[in-house]
Amino acid sequence: MHPTPPGPLGDCLRDWEELQQDFQSIQETHRLYRLKLEELIKLQNSCTSSISRQKKKLQELALVLKKCKPSLPVAVQEASKELENQIKERQGLFFDMEAYLPKKNGLYLSLVLGNVNVTLLSKQAKFAYKDEYEKFKLYLTIILILISFTCRFLLNSRVTDAAFNFLLVWYYCTLTIRESILINNGSRPDGLMYQKFRNQFLSFSMYQSFVQFLQYYYQSGCLYRLRALGERHTMDLTVEGFQSWMWRGLTFLLPFLFFGHFWQLFNAVTLFSLARDPECKEWQVLMCGLPFLILFLGNFFTTLRVVHQKFHSQRHRSKTD
């Protein structure tokens, strides 16, 4: 053992010895960490495969129960219903368990991030990410309000407008990624209120597409006939002069339009009713009901006004003829 030389070199050597001892401790800690990590991965794989087997058997059991339920005697109907509730409860427990297990990314996250594992394995990490996500939305909302106000009242530049539009696109793309990560970590976008409103909304969407299909044929038919008669320019998209023959198509279309408008009102009433449900914990339910109410009022009174104008236009044309 060489004697420690005096002066700054000796101090450096003593510091190095301390670092060496600390480094050996770090090496041992890291070795234990890697062993525990391997054990953790084995436990994760074992738990994931066990849950998958259980879920598959539960689905098979639920399917068998559903098939045999109509033929069951009344005496065992209550037991059948209780078993169904227990199966649903077990599926909910598995959902909570899987929130703390690594899982494959969905299609969107796979396209954006690849196979990177985005599962947060502790409740504290999940809470911190959710809290940071909410702050991100708040800060970006404030920034967007300020920039849009600036572009509207202070600046009139194509460059600032383009920057604002780019920021909007980046913000919403980032939101979809962050929300997908939240869903991957156990966030529930399909809660009880969503399930109660889901079928009604999907049915409304299908009906709305059907009405838009009817509107397209009505408008294209009107434009084709007017062009054939030589009464309008080929590029006209709206018709101010209303012809008597148009009533045949419009009177056929109007009941479908008004039914769609009142379906929007029905959606609003349903959402307001769900918002008052004691099991409703989401403020978004009420906020989703307001746009449907506004849509109903706007569409309903706009349709009435258009029909009134076209009716008077046709009466005036008849008197002129």
Side-chain angles (χ1 to χ4, degrees):
M1 189 89 180
H2 295 289
T4 303
L9 179 59
D11 295 338
C12 290
L13 290 174
R14 281 191 293 271
D15 291 341
W16 173 252
E17 289 297 326
E18 292 178 3
L19 287 174
Q20 280 288 86
Q21 295 175 3
D22 192 34
F23 176 70
Q24 291 174 359
S25 175
I26 292 173
Q27 278 187 315
E28 179 63 20
T29 304
H30 187 263
R31 186 185 66 81
L32 290 174
Y33 163 74
R34 291 187 61 181
L35 289 174
K36 297 293 183 182
L37 183 61
E38 291 177 2
E39 293 177 9
L40 175 64
I41 293 173
K42 290 179 182 179
L43 284 173
Q44 288 173 344
N45 293 334
S46 174
C47 193
T48 300
S49 59
S50 299
I51 289 176
S52 298
R53 286 196 301 270
Q54 276 265 324
K55 288 175 68 175
K56 185 177 180 180
K57 291 180 180 179
L58 280 177
Q59 289 176 349
E60 294 173 354
L61 180 60
L63 184 61
V64 172
L65 186 62
K66 185 178 180 180
K67 288 181 178 179
C68 71
K69 188 176 180 180
S71 59
L72 292 175
V74 180
V76 295
Q77 286 287 344
E78 188 65 28
S80 171
K81 188 175 181 181
E82 179 64 24
L83 181 57
E84 281 185 338
N85 293 334
Q86 290 178 355
I87 291 174
K88 290 180 180 179
E89 183 180 354
R90 182 66 54 82
Q91 289 172 337
L93 290 173
F94 283 145
F95 181 88
D96 293 335
M97 289 181 185
E98 287 177 327
Y100 294 92
L101 291 170
K103 63 184 71 172
K104 291 183 179 180
N105 295 336
L107 177 61
Y108 179 69
L109 280 180
S110 297
L111 291 173
V112 176
L113 302 177
N115 293 324
V116 177
N117 181 21
V118 295
T119 306
L120 304 173
L121 300 181
S122 70
K123 187 176 292 185
Q124 293 81 5
K126 292 177 187 292
F127 177 81
Y129 185 82
K130 175 68 173 176
D131 183 60
E132 195 272 335
Y133 166 76
E134 295 297 337
K135 290 179 180 177
F136 169 78
K137 290 197 298 183
L138 174 63
Y139 297 153
L140 262 295
T141 301
I142 295 172
I143 292 172
L144 288 170
I145 291 173
L146 293 175
I147 296 179
S148 60
F149 179 86
T150 303
C151 292
R152 173 62 180 84
F153 295 105
L154 302 179
L155 296 176
N156 186 8
S157 170
R158 185 73 183 100
V159 175
T160 54
D161 290 352
F164 174 69
N165 291 329
F166 172 78
L167 182 61
L168 280 176
V169 173
W170 174 82
Y171 172 59
Y172 286 111
C173 289
T174 305
L175 272 188
T176 58
I177 296 173
R178 289 177 177 241
E179 287 174 356
S180 298
I181 293 175
L182 282 173
I183 293 171
N184 220 48
N185 282 277
S187 181
R188 296 174 180 255
D190 57 343
L192 179 60
M193 298 300 110
Y194 172 80
Q195 290 297 334
K196 286 185 176 181
F197 186 65
R198 175 181 180 273
N199 290 339
Q200 180 177 324
F201 176 72
L202 292 177
S203 300
F204 168 74
S205 298
M206 289 189 294
Y207 180 80
Q208 190 177 42
S209 299
F210 170 69
V211 173
Q212 289 173 347
F213 178 78
L214 294 180
Q215 285 179 299
Y216 163 75
Y217 272 95
Y218 168 72
Q219 293 288 352
S220 61
C222 289
L223 291 174
Y224 176 79
R225 186 161 181 174
L226 287 169
R227 284 198 302 268
L229 295 173
E231 298 186 30
R232 305 295 294 181
H233 191 272
T234 55
M235 291 301 292
D236 282 348
L237 297 178
T238 58
V239 179
E240 296 175 0
F242 196 68
Q243 310 290 330
S244 59
W245 51 264
M246 294 180 184
W247 274 113
R248 291 194 298 271
L250 187 60
T251 51
F252 172 78
L253 183 62
L254 281 176
F256 293 98
L257 287 175
F258 282 117
F259 184 79
H261 298 341
F262 280 102
W263 199 337
Q264 290 173 337
L265 177 62
F266 177 58
N267 287 342
V269 172
T270 301
L271 288 168
F272 291 150
S273 176
L274 290 175
R276 299 176 59 186
D277 192 303
E279 297 183 10
C280 179
K281 309 299 182 184
E282 301 91 353
W283 59 268
Q284 292 92 337
V285 177
L286 179 63
M287 292 298 104
C288 287
L290 291 175
F292 275 113
L293 179 60
I294 295 171
L295 280 173
F296 162 72
L297 294 173
N299 290 332
F300 179 73
F301 288 109
T302 300
T303 304
L304 284 181
R305 182 174 60 85
V306 170
V307 171
H308 181 265
Q309 289 177 348
K310 292 186 181 299
F311 178 74
H312 278 278
S313 175
Q314 194 229 350
R315 287 187 60 186
H316 177 71
R317 190 181 185 91
S318 300
K319 290 179 181 179
T320 304
D321 294 340

